[in-house]
Amino acid sequence: MTEHTRGDGLPGPEECRPHLGIERAAPRHEQMATNKVECNACPVLCQISEGRAGACDRYANQGGVLVRLDPVVWLRRGQVAGATAETGQSHLPRPDASPQAWTRRPTSQADDPDYFVTGIGASTTYPDYKPAPFIVASKVRGVDMVTVVTEGIFSYCSLKVKIDTDRFLGGEQSAVRYRGEVVGHVTTAEYGSQMLSLGGVHHLTGGSKKEGRMTLEAMQLLGNQQALEVDIDNGAKVVLQAGHAPVVNGVPESRMRVGCGSAAIGIFAQQWLGLCDEVVVVDDHITGVLSEHQAGRCLNIPPTGISIRGRKSTPGRYFQVANPGNGWGGTDISEPLSILEPWDPQVAWPGLRLLMTSTTGEHSAWYVLDEHLRPQASDMPQAVRQVVDRIGENCEPSLVSVLFLAGAGGSLRAGVTDNPIRLTQAIKQALVNVTMGGAPAYVWPGGGITLMSDVTRMPGNSFGTVPTPAIVAPIEFSMKLSDYQALGGHMGFVRGLDDSLSHGAWHNDGAPQKRIWHTPPDAQPWPLHQPPMLG
Ligand code: SF4
């Protein structure tokens, strides 16, 4: 890799470092006391007295110098089984340490370093016309690479929450409240899961101050993988925590349904053959009836004269057999026979064996028709019980999943390049790998840079806040050095890993605190190993 100097007239990092005043904007308030520093890392522009922190507790005035209080998080690849965090500088060898101190020396000349600078704690340079705080060179498989690292300040951002449960949490579009304030809504249910959309610009900035604060707090808690209790209007009280089971009205959920009632009939029909005359799988979406279902017909199961309440969709598949609720199969029923009409006496027969089960197998009952064709509860035969148990075995653990969705198509791009549209285009052309705290980010098609990341793949405490209000989240853009140059990158600010390690962000006064986040082997793609960039 070659040394680069700035060609845009701005001083490079070596020139800036001892002369911070060059890059730090003059205070907006000219009357500011001399013992204060103005933080220009977000639009609040706090004037911070010596020894005090700014409104977000992320920056402080230490001896007249603006410092970022949280450590910069570095990823270290494949060292331990399970992600752990270490704080402080002592765990990181200095660049001048013996070569053995590093798995591979983290210099721009060393090939495929095991370290990656994330945007967590990286700081920002607001407004973004200045280069990003870290523009880090490395060599990967013989290719000169660069990673542009910053903390993004996102007003346009939300959390998409997937809750693996059939239980009724609230009607679609119902408001979701945190500490009394509306912070989101129930959105379309997905297969086996209820979905919430939380946060978003309208709750952050479009309502009252309290609504904005509560939205911010809820998003930060969930993003940082902590527990959050929400109330859904005319629905449930739910405790959410990414990677954990949801707790619905005080009851931890354990099973995600095997499929809808129709799918369950399709999966298990053959196993019920000869053991049952009729099976009803109760489901809030589609309740399945074995003898009428195509799966039953294929097995030559004869009609039974059963009659189901609800709206018939196609043979053996019924909608709306009951209301949504926390009973059998996400309905409000606790008595399964309540969804049956009287049996057809021309078809049904005394002694007919009927299994009723939910889509998770948590609820099940066995009946035999008496001489009046009324179902009588009986002991379930062991062979039938085994199939019901198999439904449970096929259920996956119920989890809460949280994806952070944010728009990075604005001024943040100016920290990367002089010509922001080129960054957007390069991302769409798969020349740039975008990560958030090192976690893979899915970039939406269409305009802008709208991206989405699983918060459980990001290091702990990746999210912060500023009182504008907005969420602070890490973002990294990795690409070939030659592509970076082509898209108008800030080449004069490109530094090796060792230099970044020693000095921190280019506009910092001293070596920053660092935190190492170990990523388990193969836990997720290493940010610098994305084939499109290296291919
Ligand atoms: S609130 Fe904004 S201006 Fe104030 S310290 Fe935090 S980042 Fe700086």
Side-chain angles (χ1 to χ4, degrees):
M1 144 112 228
T2 54
E3 292 300 316
H4 299 279
T5 54
R6 284 192 70 90
D8 54 11
L10 287 174
E14 291 304 326
E15 297 158 80
C16 287
R17 211 171 283 127
H19 310 291
L20 292 175
I22 294 173
E23 288 294 331
R24 190 168 292 161
R28 174 72 58 92
H29 310 284
E30 290 175 358
Q31 303 305 315
M32 190 174 75
T34 52
N35 66 339
K36 291 186 176 185
V37 293
E38 183 179 83
C39 174
N40 58 6
C42 93
V44 176
L45 296 172
C46 294
Q47 295 177 26
I48 310 173
S49 301
E50 191 163 335
R52 305 291 295 272
C56 64
D57 283 334
R58 298 187 311 125
Y59 289 86
N61 177 346
Q62 285 184 0
V65 174
L66 183 71
V67 294
R68 181 73 172 86
L69 290 173
D70 302 305
V72 180
V73 173
W74 291 59
L75 291 190
R76 188 174 186 189
R77 159 162 64 127
Q79 297 298 313
V80 293
T84 56
E86 299 169 3
T87 56
Q89 298 180 45
S90 59
H91 300 285
L92 266 182
R94 304 301 306 175
D96 55 359
S98 68
Q100 293 75 22
W102 294 89
T103 308
R104 297 177 182 87
R105 279 193 72 221
T107 65
S108 53
Q109 282 73 39
D111 204 353
D112 210 1
D114 286 334
Y115 287 85
F116 179 82
V117 193
T118 76
I120 305 162
S123 74
T124 42
T125 52
Y126 183 89
D128 288 291
Y129 58 81
K130 289 178 271 187
F134 289 90
I135 304 179
V136 183
S138 59
K139 191 183 280 282
V140 179
R141 299 173 187 168
V143 178
D144 282 325
M145 304 288 292
V146 69
T147 302
V148 184
V149 178
T150 192
E151 285 183 310
I153 296 185
F154 297 103
S155 300
Y156 281 88
C157 61
S158 63
L159 298 174
K160 304 305 174 200
V161 183
K162 172 172 167 282
I163 305 164
D164 301 334
T165 181
D166 287 336
R167 295 187 208 288
F168 177 70
L169 302 184
E172 203 168 298
Q173 301 178 23
S174 295
V176 178
R177 293 176 189 272
Y178 170 64
R179 296 172 65 181
E181 293 295 320
V182 179
V183 299
H185 63 272
V186 178
T187 184
T188 48
E190 301 303 338
Y191 200 81
S193 308
Q194 311 296 320
M195 305 287 290
L196 307 181
S197 179
L198 304 183
V201 70
H202 295 304
H203 292 299
L204 283 170
T205 61
S208 67
K209 271 191 174 177
K210 189 175 177 207
E211 179 178 335
R213 275 205 318 275
M214 292 302 104
T215 302
L216 202 62
E217 188 173 305
M219 290 183 71
Q220 187 183 20
L221 282 169
L222 263 187
N224 286 338
Q225 304 170 43
Q226 295 175 37
L228 178 82
E229 183 175 279
V230 293
D231 288 290
I232 299 173
D233 283 3
N234 301 313
K237 186 186 289 288
V238 191
V239 178
L240 306 168
Q241 186 171 13
H244 291 72
V247 181
V248 182
N249 293 326
V251 180
E253 185 63 285
S254 57
R255 297 181 189 178
M256 179 183 184
R257 70 177 184 178
V258 67
C260 68
S262 173
I265 292 280
I267 295 168
F268 297 103
Q270 207 138 22
Q271 299 177 44
W272 282 315
L273 187 62
L275 300 178
C276 318
D277 299 308
E278 186 62 278
V279 178
V280 177
V281 182
V282 181
D283 179 27
D284 175 50
H285 179 212
I286 301 174
T287 290
V289 179
L290 177 63
S291 65
E292 298 177 359
H293 195 277
Q294 184 63 13
R297 290 190 181 185
C298 289
L299 294 170
N300 296 317
I301 292 176
T304 60
I306 195 168
S307 182
I308 303 279
R309 290 186 183 148
R311 181 161 67 82
K312 187 169 182 175
S313 165
T314 54
R317 300 166 77 252
Y318 291 84
F319 296 142
Q320 299 161 6
V321 297
N323 292 316
N326 293 315
W328 282 53
T331 70
D332 62 348
I333 63 169
S334 54
E335 169 47 69
L337 295 178
S338 66
I339 67 168
L340 300 189
E341 300 283 9
W343 295 67
D344 181 350
Q346 304 301 315
V347 183
W349 63 93
L352 186 153
R353 301 162 298 169
L354 167 68
L355 169 67
M356 298 192 78
T357 179
S358 67
T359 46
T360 58
E362 282 171 301
H363 297 97
S364 60
W366 179 252
Y367 303 94
V368 178
L369 296 195
D370 64 15
E371 65 273 21
H372 304 294
L373 302 181
R374 286 189 299 240
Q376 301 297 334
S378 303
D379 289 340
M380 188 178 297
Q382 185 55 26
V384 177
R385 169 63 59 199
Q386 281 178 357
V387 184
V388 172
D389 288 346
R390 184 163 287 181
I391 294 177
E393 183 187 334
N394 275 271
C395 293
E396 293 176 78
S398 176
L399 288 179
V400 173
S401 308
V402 179
L403 297 192
F404 178 65
L405 174 58
S411 73
L412 182 150
R413 294 175 297 171
V416 182
T417 163
D418 290 336
N419 196 356
I421 189 63
R422 291 228 196 130
L423 175 65
T424 310
Q425 292 164 345
I427 289 171
K428 299 293 160 65
Q429 292 162 8
L431 297 174
V432 179
N433 184 40
V434 189
T435 51
M436 303 192 84
Y442 172 76
V443 181
W444 282 61
I449 304 171
T450 302
L451 34 85
M452 203 158 63
S453 270
D454 176 354
V455 303
T456 61
R457 302 182 87 174
M458 300 169 73
N461 291 322
S462 287
F463 293 91
T465 65
V466 290
T468 51
I471 285 284
V472 180
I475 187 163
E476 305 93 26
F477 304 93
S478 298
M479 67 204 91
K480 286 182 191 167
L481 186 66
S482 54
D483 287 333
Y484 187 52
Q485 187 158 27
L487 63 80
H490 303 297
M491 299 301 287
F493 287 75
V494 177
R495 294 177 296 142
L497 274 170
D498 48 359
D499 192 12
S500 304
L501 177 67
S502 303
H503 297 105
W506 62 261
H507 53 83
N508 279 352
D509 281 339
Q513 286 285 317
K514 304 171 194 70
R515 183 160 65 108
I516 306 301
W517 190 268
H518 296 277
T519 60
D522 305 323
Q524 59 192 30
W526 186 242
L528 293 169
H529 283 179
Q530 296 310 297
M533 294 184 300
L534 298 175

PDB file of all heavy atoms in Angstrom, residues 39-46 48 54-59 466-467, ligand 1:
ATOM      1  N   CYS A  39     -19.095  20.693  22.228  1.00  0.00           N
ATOM      2  CA  CYS A  39     -19.102  19.410  21.524  1.00  0.00           C
ATOM      3  C   CYS A  39     -19.883  19.600  20.230  1.00  0.00           C
ATOM      4  O   CYS A  39     -21.017  20.068  20.246  1.00  0.00           O
ATOM      5  CB  CYS A  39     -19.750  18.328  22.374  1.00  0.00           C
ATOM      6  SG  CYS A  39     -19.925  16.767  21.476  1.00  0.00           S
ATOM      7  N   ASN A  40     -19.285  19.240  19.135  1.00  0.00           N
ATOM      8  CA  ASN A  40     -19.984  19.357  17.854  1.00  0.00           C
ATOM      9  C   ASN A  40     -20.212  17.989  17.230  1.00  0.00           C
ATOM     10  O   ASN A  40     -20.195  17.833  16.018  1.00  0.00           O
ATOM     11  CB  ASN A  40     -19.250  20.289  16.891  1.00  0.00           C
ATOM     12  CG  ASN A  40     -17.828  19.820  16.628  1.00  0.00           C
ATOM     13  OD1 ASN A  40     -17.433  18.753  17.063  1.00  0.00           O
ATOM     14  ND2 ASN A  40     -17.079  20.624  15.904  1.00  0.00           N
ATOM     15  N   ALA A  41     -20.430  17.000  18.114  1.00  0.00           N
ATOM     16  CA  ALA A  41     -20.670  15.653  17.594  1.00  0.00           C
ATOM     17  C   ALA A  41     -22.138  15.392  17.299  1.00  0.00           C
ATOM     18  O   ALA A  41     -22.480  14.327  16.797  1.00  0.00           O
ATOM     19  CB  ALA A  41     -20.137  14.608  18.577  1.00  0.00           C
ATOM     20  N   CYS A  42     -23.010  16.319  17.667  1.00  0.00           N
ATOM     21  CA  CYS A  42     -24.407  16.208  17.266  1.00  0.00           C
ATOM     22  C   CYS A  42     -24.993  17.615  17.302  1.00  0.00           C
ATOM     23  O   CYS A  42     -24.364  18.540  17.831  1.00  0.00           O
ATOM     24  CB  CYS A  42     -25.179  15.218  18.146  1.00  0.00           C
ATOM     25  SG  CYS A  42     -26.033  15.928  19.555  1.00  0.00           S
ATOM     26  N   PRO A  43     -26.187  17.807  16.769  1.00  0.00           N
ATOM     27  CA  PRO A  43     -26.721  19.173  16.654  1.00  0.00           C
ATOM     28  C   PRO A  43     -27.018  19.852  17.980  1.00  0.00           C
ATOM     29  O   PRO A  43     -27.279  21.060  18.001  1.00  0.00           O
ATOM     30  CB  PRO A  43     -28.017  18.976  15.859  1.00  0.00           C
ATOM     31  CG  PRO A  43     -27.889  17.649  15.210  1.00  0.00           C
ATOM     32  CD  PRO A  43     -27.038  16.829  16.091  1.00  0.00           C
ATOM     33  N   VAL A  44     -26.970  19.136  19.095  1.00  0.00           N
ATOM     34  CA  VAL A  44     -27.253  19.774  20.384  1.00  0.00           C
ATOM     35  C   VAL A  44     -26.172  20.797  20.728  1.00  0.00           C
ATOM     36  O   VAL A  44     -26.424  21.814  21.366  1.00  0.00           O
ATOM     37  CB  VAL A  44     -27.390  18.702  21.496  1.00  0.00           C
ATOM     38  CG1 VAL A  44     -27.576  19.346  22.854  1.00  0.00           C
ATOM     39  CG2 VAL A  44     -28.566  17.778  21.180  1.00  0.00           C
ATOM     40  N   LEU A  45     -24.935  20.545  20.309  1.00  0.00           N
ATOM     41  CA  LEU A  45     -23.806  21.462  20.518  1.00  0.00           C
ATOM     42  C   LEU A  45     -23.634  21.846  21.993  1.00  0.00           C
ATOM     43  O   LEU A  45     -23.661  23.024  22.370  1.00  0.00           O
ATOM     44  CB  LEU A  45     -23.978  22.730  19.664  1.00  0.00           C
ATOM     45  CG  LEU A  45     -23.963  22.514  18.143  1.00  0.00           C
ATOM     46  CD1 LEU A  45     -24.341  23.801  17.415  1.00  0.00           C
ATOM     47  CD2 LEU A  45     -22.616  22.006  17.674  1.00  0.00           C
ATOM     48  N   CYS A  46     -23.514  20.844  22.831  1.00  0.00           N
ATOM     49  CA  CYS A  46     -23.351  21.097  24.277  1.00  0.00           C
ATOM     50  C   CYS A  46     -22.100  21.930  24.538  1.00  0.00           C
ATOM     51  O   CYS A  46     -21.046  21.693  23.943  1.00  0.00           O
ATOM     52  CB  CYS A  46     -23.194  19.773  25.027  1.00  0.00           C
ATOM     53  SG  CYS A  46     -24.646  18.733  25.012  1.00  0.00           S
ATOM     54  N   ILE A  48     -19.617  22.223  27.366  1.00  0.00           N
ATOM     55  CA  ILE A  48     -19.331  21.341  28.498  1.00  0.00           C
ATOM     56  C   ILE A  48     -18.244  21.951  29.382  1.00  0.00           C
ATOM     57  O   ILE A  48     -17.150  22.270  28.907  1.00  0.00           O
ATOM     58  CB  ILE A  48     -18.894  19.947  27.995  1.00  0.00           C
ATOM     59  CG1 ILE A  48     -19.899  19.418  26.956  1.00  0.00           C
ATOM     60  CG2 ILE A  48     -18.778  18.969  29.147  1.00  0.00           C
ATOM     61  CD1 ILE A  48     -19.451  18.122  26.286  1.00  0.00           C
ATOM     62  N   GLY A  54     -21.327  15.860  28.519  1.00  0.00           N
ATOM     63  CA  GLY A  54     -22.407  16.474  27.760  1.00  0.00           C
ATOM     64  C   GLY A  54     -23.731  15.783  28.033  1.00  0.00           C
ATOM     65  O   GLY A  54     -23.817  14.822  28.804  1.00  0.00           O
ATOM     66  N   ALA A  55     -24.774  16.264  27.363  1.00  0.00           N
ATOM     67  CA  ALA A  55     -26.133  15.797  27.655  1.00  0.00           C
ATOM     68  C   ALA A  55     -26.320  14.314  27.396  1.00  0.00           C
ATOM     69  O   ALA A  55     -27.203  13.685  27.975  1.00  0.00           O
ATOM     70  CB  ALA A  55     -27.130  16.598  26.828  1.00  0.00           C
ATOM     71  N   CYS A  56     -25.528  13.737  26.510  1.00  0.00           N
ATOM     72  CA  CYS A  56     -25.710  12.317  26.190  1.00  0.00           C
ATOM     73  C   CYS A  56     -24.790  11.418  27.007  1.00  0.00           C
ATOM     74  O   CYS A  56     -24.824  10.193  26.858  1.00  0.00           O
ATOM     75  CB  CYS A  56     -25.454  12.079  24.707  1.00  0.00           C
ATOM     76  SG  CYS A  56     -23.751  12.417  24.222  1.00  0.00           S
ATOM     77  N   ASP A  57     -23.930  12.011  27.842  1.00  0.00           N
ATOM     78  CA  ASP A  57     -22.952  11.250  28.632  1.00  0.00           C
ATOM     79  C   ASP A  57     -21.952  10.507  27.762  1.00  0.00           C
ATOM     80  O   ASP A  57     -21.302   9.576  28.218  1.00  0.00           O
ATOM     81  CB  ASP A  57     -23.649  10.239  29.564  1.00  0.00           C
ATOM     82  CG  ASP A  57     -24.252  10.915  30.778  1.00  0.00           C
ATOM     83  OD1 ASP A  57     -23.735  11.996  31.154  1.00  0.00           O
ATOM     84  OD2 ASP A  57     -25.234  10.400  31.321  1.00  0.00           O
ATOM     85  N   ARG A  58     -21.822  10.902  26.516  1.00  0.00           N
ATOM     86  CA  ARG A  58     -20.861  10.205  25.657  1.00  0.00           C
ATOM     87  C   ARG A  58     -19.572  11.007  25.499  1.00  0.00           C
ATOM     88  O   ARG A  58     -18.515  10.462  25.225  1.00  0.00           O
ATOM     89  CB  ARG A  58     -21.470   9.936  24.276  1.00  0.00           C
ATOM     90  CG  ARG A  58     -22.692   9.029  24.315  1.00  0.00           C
ATOM     91  CD  ARG A  58     -23.184   8.640  22.927  1.00  0.00           C
ATOM     92  NE  ARG A  58     -23.315   9.784  22.073  1.00  0.00           N
ATOM     93  CZ  ARG A  58     -22.726   9.916  20.879  1.00  0.00           C
ATOM     94  NH1 ARG A  58     -21.985   8.944  20.424  1.00  0.00           N
ATOM     95  NH2 ARG A  58     -22.886  11.000  20.157  1.00  0.00           N
ATOM     96  N   TYR A  59     -19.668  12.319  25.643  1.00  0.00           N
ATOM     97  CA  TYR A  59     -18.494  13.181  25.523  1.00  0.00           C
ATOM     98  C   TYR A  59     -18.321  13.969  26.811  1.00  0.00           C
ATOM     99  O   TYR A  59     -19.289  14.240  27.523  1.00  0.00           O
ATOM    100  CB  TYR A  59     -18.653  14.162  24.358  1.00  0.00           C
ATOM    101  CG  TYR A  59     -18.572  13.501  23.006  1.00  0.00           C
ATOM    102  CD1 TYR A  59     -19.713  12.953  22.425  1.00  0.00           C
ATOM    103  CD2 TYR A  59     -17.364  13.413  22.321  1.00  0.00           C
ATOM    104  CE1 TYR A  59     -19.646  12.337  21.183  1.00  0.00           C
ATOM    105  CE2 TYR A  59     -17.288  12.803  21.085  1.00  0.00           C
ATOM    106  CZ  TYR A  59     -18.431  12.267  20.518  1.00  0.00           C
ATOM    107  OH  TYR A  59     -18.359  11.653  19.296  1.00  0.00           O
ATOM    108  N   VAL A 466     -28.648  10.446  21.526  1.00  0.00           N
ATOM    109  CA  VAL A 466     -28.439  11.882  21.736  1.00  0.00           C
ATOM    110  C   VAL A 466     -29.821  12.503  21.888  1.00  0.00           C
ATOM    111  O   VAL A 466     -30.809  11.977  21.362  1.00  0.00           O
ATOM    112  CB  VAL A 466     -27.657  12.558  20.590  1.00  0.00           C
ATOM    113  CG1 VAL A 466     -26.217  12.108  20.589  1.00  0.00           C
ATOM    114  CG2 VAL A 466     -28.303  12.300  19.245  1.00  0.00           C
ATOM    115  N   PRO A 467     -29.879  13.625  22.612  1.00  0.00           N
ATOM    116  CA  PRO A 467     -31.210  14.137  22.960  1.00  0.00           C
ATOM    117  C   PRO A 467     -31.928  14.904  21.852  1.00  0.00           C
ATOM    118  O   PRO A 467     -32.926  15.548  22.119  1.00  0.00           O
ATOM    119  CB  PRO A 467     -30.925  15.044  24.171  1.00  0.00           C
ATOM    120  CG  PRO A 467     -29.484  15.350  24.143  1.00  0.00           C
ATOM    121  CD  PRO A 467     -28.800  14.319  23.316  1.00  0.00           C
TER     122      PRO A 467
HETATM  123  S1  SF4 B   1     -25.568  15.562  23.240  1.00  0.00           S
HETATM  124 FE1  SF4 B   1     -24.545  15.918  21.273  1.00  0.00          FE
HETATM  125  S2  SF4 B   1     -23.382  17.802  21.564  1.00  0.00           S
HETATM  126 FE2  SF4 B   1     -23.970  17.073  23.612  1.00  0.00          FE
HETATM  127  S3  SF4 B   1     -22.203  15.845  24.270  1.00  0.00           S
HETATM  128 FE3  SF4 B   1     -23.637  14.443  23.298  1.00  0.00          FE
HETATM  129  S4  SF4 B   1     -22.943  14.343  21.161  1.00  0.00           S
HETATM  130 FE4  SF4 B   1     -21.998  16.146  22.068  1.00  0.00          FE
END
